[in-house]
Amino acid sequence: VGIRRGGTLIAMTGERFKPDGFTEISAVCTHPDWRGQGYGVALMRVILGRIRSRGETAFLHVYPDNPATALYRALRFSVRREMIFTIVER
């Protein structure tokens, strides 16, 4: 789901991983020039409505220092588990 202004994509989100009864919300993004105008909330509500209408539970992954964490908490998401990611590069 996306929002365009003048033909340019300024905000988007989507669904990704779908284990039985659950759907991951993914790629919640708003262009920096358009942040703070409620686009993230609007898109999250659309996606959440679709997921709930199918009787599924929404979940997402986020780094703790991501500013969007406040948005997710306002939408009643909570931390269920902390994960450790290891990046190995050559």
Side-chain angles (χ1 to χ4, degrees):
V1 176
I3 298 172
R4 294 181 180 273
R5 292 289 179 254
T8 301
L9 182 65
I10 62 166
M12 67 178 192
T13 189
E15 301 177 14
R16 187 171 51 181
F17 187 52
K18 296 184 179 207
D20 287 340
F22 296 87
T23 296
E24 178 186 12
I25 297 175
S26 177
V28 181
C29 306
T30 301
H31 188 281
D33 293 346
W34 295 91
R35 289 184 184 152
Q37 298 185 43
Y39 296 124
V41 171
L43 290 171
M44 287 289 292
R45 287 189 174 144
V46 168
I47 290 294
L48 286 167
R50 290 179 181 182
I51 293 169
R52 290 176 181 151
S53 73
R54 296 190 303 259
E56 299 170 351
T57 300
F59 71 98
L60 51 82
H61 297 97
V62 62
Y63 287 108
D65 60 345
N66 184 326
T69 300
L71 164 68
Y72 304 142
R73 288 186 192 274
L75 292 169
R76 304 187 54 98
F77 282 87
S78 61
V79 175
R80 298 283 306 250
R81 177 138 323 150
E82 292 186 14
M83 300 172 69
I84 297 172
F85 288 91
T86 302
I87 299 172
V88 179
E89 295 180 336
R90 188 174 194 178

